[in-house]
Amino acid sequence: MTGHRSLRATLTALPLAGILGLALALPAGAEPPGIPDPATAKSELAKLTVAPEGSMDGYSREKFPHWIEGPDSCNTREAVLKRDGKDVETGSDCYPTSGSWLSPYDGETWTKPSDLDIDHVVPLAAAWRSGAAEWTQDQRQAFANDLEGPQLIAVTDNVNQSKGDQTPDEWMPPLASYHCTYASMWVGTKTKYGLTVTDAEKSALQKTLDGC
């Protein structure tokens, strides 16, 4: 597919260390970068390719190497915790020793990093079914560690686990006031990576964005 060929060129050129470095420079408490506004997301959604989901044949999380180490020895998870938290202090190993995190999916605040998961907004398995099966492992690694776009966010662990690999026609964050942002993040990520959407997925996203 043309989208995947252009994506291959784009992702091959992405310096992963540079991505991590940029994200670590963001102020604590920042939300994921690159979230389109709802109007832009609606326009992007209209341009996404609609196709049935692919199979899970050959899928493995190991094909999306994640939480890779950045230039300052902080891994991607630690970078997101530092970015998304408030008053975050870290030890010499980059792991947070204090801070607080507001999970936008459910409105809960946590003070222990162990209570948080880093959500892949577009789950790895969902990406596999919508185009990532055709990528190289390096491209999947870039996707799984993307700190330049709205693909990674710190949220309550059991909320993330309840989401699993579901798409927006199957699951949305418990906090309804975050649905517009979540739909925009989803569309922004699928647009960036040239991933497809199903009819049901597109319909659910369109309905959400129409109400923003």
Side-chain angles (χ1 to χ4, degrees), residues 116-200:
L116 297 150
D117 278 354
I118 306 305
D119 182 36
H120 288 98
V121 173
V122 175
L124 305 181
W128 179 269
R129 298 191 300 266
S130 57
E134 299 178 20
W135 299 350
T136 67
Q137 184 142 313
D138 284 347
Q139 291 160 11
R140 289 192 287 265
Q141 176 174 291
F143 174 83
N145 295 276
D146 184 4
L147 291 162
E148 286 192 321
Q151 165 65 348
L152 299 174
I153 188 169
V155 299
T156 302
D157 54 2
N158 58 10
V159 172
N160 182 51
Q161 290 153 23
S162 73
K163 171 184 172 179
D165 65 352
Q166 298 178 94
T167 52
D169 52 304
E170 303 166 318
W171 187 93
M172 290 289 279
L175 200 61
S177 60
Y178 201 69
H179 287 186
C180 284
T181 302
Y182 183 79
S184 296
M185 293 165 71
W186 185 282
V187 172
T189 297
K190 286 226 159 175
T191 296
K192 178 176 180 178
Y193 288 94
L195 297 170
T196 62
V197 291
T198 65
D199 280 319

Side-chain angles (χ1 to χ4, degrees), residues 5-212:
R5 284 199 297 270
S6 61
L7 171 68
R8 184 169 293 113
T10 300
L11 290 182
T12 301
L14 282 176
L16 295 177
I19 291 174
L20 285 170
L22 284 172
L24 290 171
L26 292 171
E31 64 181 3
I35 303 174
D37 60 67
T40 300
K42 286 175 69 173
S43 176
E44 292 178 346
L45 177 61
K47 298 173 184 175
L48 290 177
T49 299
V50 177
E53 281 193 326
S55 77
M56 291 291 288
D57 290 352
Y59 170 75
S60 167
R61 287 179 66 85
E62 283 67 42
K63 292 185 177 180
F64 293 80
H66 51 287
W67 308 166
I68 61 173
E69 189 173 295
D72 55 1
S73 300
C74 296
N75 66 32
T76 312
R77 172 181 165 82
E78 293 160 347
V80 176
L81 288 172
K82 185 175 181 180
R83 182 196 70 194
D84 289 357
K86 180 180 180 182
D87 300 325
V88 177
E89 298 288 341
T90 61
S92 58
D93 59 355
C94 289
Y95 193 78
T97 55
S98 63
S100 63
W101 291 266
L102 172 65
S103 167
Y105 284 5
D106 58 343
E108 296 292 331
T109 298
W110 306 97
T111 56
K112 294 181 179 179
S114 59
D115 288 325
L116 297 150
D117 278 354
I118 306 305
D119 182 36
H120 288 98
V121 173
V122 175
L124 305 181
W128 179 269
R129 298 191 300 266
S130 57
E134 299 178 20
W135 299 350
T136 67
Q137 184 142 313
D138 284 347
Q139 291 160 11
R140 289 192 287 265
Q141 176 174 291
F143 174 83
N145 295 276
D146 184 4
L147 291 162
E148 286 192 321
Q151 165 65 348
L152 299 174
I153 188 169
V155 299
T156 302
D157 54 2
N158 58 10
V159 172
N160 182 51
Q161 290 153 23
S162 73
K163 171 184 172 179
D165 65 352
Q166 298 178 94
T167 52
D169 52 304
E170 303 166 318
W171 187 93
M172 290 289 279
L175 200 61
S177 60
Y178 201 69
H179 287 186
C180 284
T181 302
Y182 183 79
S184 296
M185 293 165 71
W186 185 282
V187 172
T189 297
K190 286 226 159 175
T191 296
K192 178 176 180 178
Y193 288 94
L195 297 170
T196 62
V197 291
T198 65
D199 280 319
E201 181 184 344
K202 182 175 182 178
S203 178
L205 289 164
Q206 185 71 56
K207 182 177 180 180
T208 297
L209 293 169
D210 282 346
C212 297

